[in-house]
Amino acid sequence: MKKALITGLTGQDGSYLAELLLEQGYHVYGLVRRSSSGNVDRVRHLSGTVEILSGDLLDQCSLMDAISYAQPDEIYNLASQSYVPLSWTQPALTAEYTALGVSRLLESIRRCKSDARFYQASSSEVFGQPDESPQTERTAFRPRNPYGVAKAYAHWMTINYRQQYGLYSCCGVTYTHESPRRGTEFVFRKITRGAAMIKMGLAKELKLGNLDAKRDWCYAKDAVRAMWMMLQQETPDDYIIASGETHSVRELVQAAFDCVGLNWEEFVSVDSSFYRPDEEVQLVGSIDKIRRQLSWEPEYSFKQLVELMVDHDLKELSQS
């Protein structure tokens, strides 16, 4: 039986990855940071099937203890401070978790389980304002916020440990990926939730930023499948994980309101305070390499993802 350790177990990606690994017959360990009010809603259904270990990316000893105990074949680092706006108000904390935390984890692997295969969750935010579109694995990094800067550091440290120490370590550069387990502070879920609330009479208006901003969105389940596939290859390498296409916020709004049979223009208003400073930048990932080498591509289309999430929000609101 293979063993895997997941940091960030309680997040969107961690919960889906745990389900996938359990289906593949793994013994799954989840590294969870102790807190007075643990956020375990996304993994409550996995109680008894995943072994929880206490640890924190800020504490090197806890990482070494967890790895020494679990002796995992695979380690997936999905933990970070991942909300971009918060990285501007807490830049140092973002760096501690998202950048230096990866250094601590890599060094713990090197010292305690050097034959483990390591996956680092990189991000399209490393590209910032890219020189080319779509972006490939060779596109230069130009991060434009503290989160992107921290992710760029973690990305290159992962590659350096592979080159310097021979660790099986690789980075998946994930673009925006969504699911019903996504927080409502993120625009995709904010829109599907908002459409459902308006349909049920629980809200009258949805305020959004730039409707012409475009994003590369895919389904979180598709993304974690790519993560797992990356660690099954003979040689470690880095890949972009994306849908390979962009859609505007306006398209997303229209698709979500179409799902509930409403005219979005009657309910949506634009608030300039929600604009991001880099809205003119188009981030879209080329999936040529991962499609060619791993035979991976998204199973869910943009429309299917919207329908999935609106249906979930309607059901959840009706039960609350």
Side-chain angles (χ1 to χ4, degrees):
M1 178 182 289
K2 277 189 175 183
K3 295 183 290 184
L5 174 64
I6 303 172
T7 74
L9 174 75
T10 59
Q12 169 188 257
D13 294 0
S15 63
Y16 282 122
L17 179 61
E19 290 175 352
L20 173 63
L21 295 176
L22 289 169
E23 291 171 1
Q24 298 291 334
Y26 283 65
H27 184 100
V28 178
Y29 298 88
L31 191 76
V32 176
R33 180 164 52 92
R34 286 196 181 277
S35 64
S36 58
S37 56
N39 180 20
V40 296
D41 290 345
R42 295 187 183 96
V43 293
R44 201 177 301 280
H45 64 292
L46 298 177
S47 177
T49 61
V50 174
E51 188 169 346
I52 302 298
L53 304 179
S54 177
D56 195 314
L57 291 180
L58 299 185
D59 182 6
Q60 177 102 35
C61 290
S62 72
L63 299 177
M64 294 177 70
D65 287 346
I67 293 171
S68 296
Y69 172 80
Q71 289 293 295
D73 301 289
E74 299 170 5
I75 298 173
Y76 297 84
N77 181 39
L78 308 181
S80 72
Q81 189 302 99
S82 60
Y83 189 47
V84 171
L86 185 61
S87 76
W88 283 111
T89 58
Q90 297 183 341
L93 184 64
T94 298
E96 283 289 350
Y97 275 110
T98 308
L100 295 180
V102 178
S103 285
R104 297 184 188 102
L105 186 53
L106 284 164
E107 187 61 16
S108 298
I109 295 170
R110 185 180 77 84
R111 291 173 179 268
C112 302
K113 191 69 166 65
S114 61
D115 62 341
R117 297 189 171 195
F118 176 67
Y119 172 86
Q120 165 60 19
S122 193
S123 167
S124 60
E125 290 292 337
V126 300
F127 295 126
Q129 188 168 9
D131 295 320
E132 59 184 354
S133 188
Q135 295 81 54
T136 73
E137 288 79 4
R138 294 182 177 274
T139 300
F141 289 3
R142 298 175 64 187
R144 300 188 69 203
N145 56 62
Y147 172 72
V149 171
K151 280 292 188 182
Y153 172 95
H155 184 104
W156 284 112
M157 284 300 288
T158 300
I159 293 173
N160 272 263
Y161 266 69
R162 180 170 76 214
Q163 296 172 339
Q164 179 69 20
Y165 298 114
L167 294 188
Y168 189 112
S169 56
C170 50
C171 298
V173 184
T174 52
Y175 282 64
T176 310
H177 45 291
E178 308 292 337
S179 79
R181 298 176 190 173
R182 184 72 143 159
T184 54
E185 70 271 21
F186 294 94
V187 69
F188 202 106
R189 183 80 192 283
K190 178 180 179 180
I191 290 170
T192 62
R193 186 80 165 184
M197 291 182 70
I198 291 171
K199 176 64 176 180
M200 298 184 68
L202 300 174
K204 296 181 179 180
E205 184 183 24
L206 177 61
K207 292 185 177 181
L208 298 170
N210 185 3
L211 299 182
D212 295 318
K214 293 184 176 182
R215 297 285 185 272
D216 183 326
W217 283 297
C218 68
Y219 186 26
K221 277 193 173 183
D222 284 333
V224 300
R225 178 168 49 87
M227 298 172 192
W228 174 74
M229 291 175 70
M230 285 173 61
L231 294 198
Q232 310 316 305
Q233 308 308 304
E234 183 176 346
T235 304
D237 204 349
D238 310 307
Y239 297 90
I240 282 176
I241 303 173
S243 72
E245 59 186 39
T246 59
H247 296 273
S248 68
V249 174
R250 191 184 307 274
E251 289 178 78
L252 172 55
V253 169
Q254 181 167 349
F257 277 81
D258 283 349
C259 288
V260 296
L262 296 175
N263 179 3
W264 68 271
E265 294 179 309
E266 297 177 10
F267 303 99
V268 174
S269 62
V270 173
D271 185 339
S272 60
S273 67
F274 292 126
Y275 274 56
R276 286 175 57 170
D278 57 349
E279 291 291 14
E280 75 279 2
V281 177
Q282 182 166 316
L283 288 173
V284 53
S286 167
I287 58 174
D288 290 348
K289 179 179 176 180
I290 195 170
R291 180 188 283 132
R292 181 178 67 254
Q293 295 188 9
L294 273 61
S295 298
W296 176 92
E297 58 186 318
E299 292 182 355
Y300 280 73
S301 68
F302 173 75
K303 182 179 179 182
Q304 288 173 320
L305 178 57
V306 176
E307 292 173 348
L308 173 82
M309 291 182 62
V310 171
D311 287 346
H312 170 85
D313 283 322
L314 287 170
K315 291 176 183 177
E316 187 173 76
L317 289 168
S318 67
Q319 295 169 359
S320 60

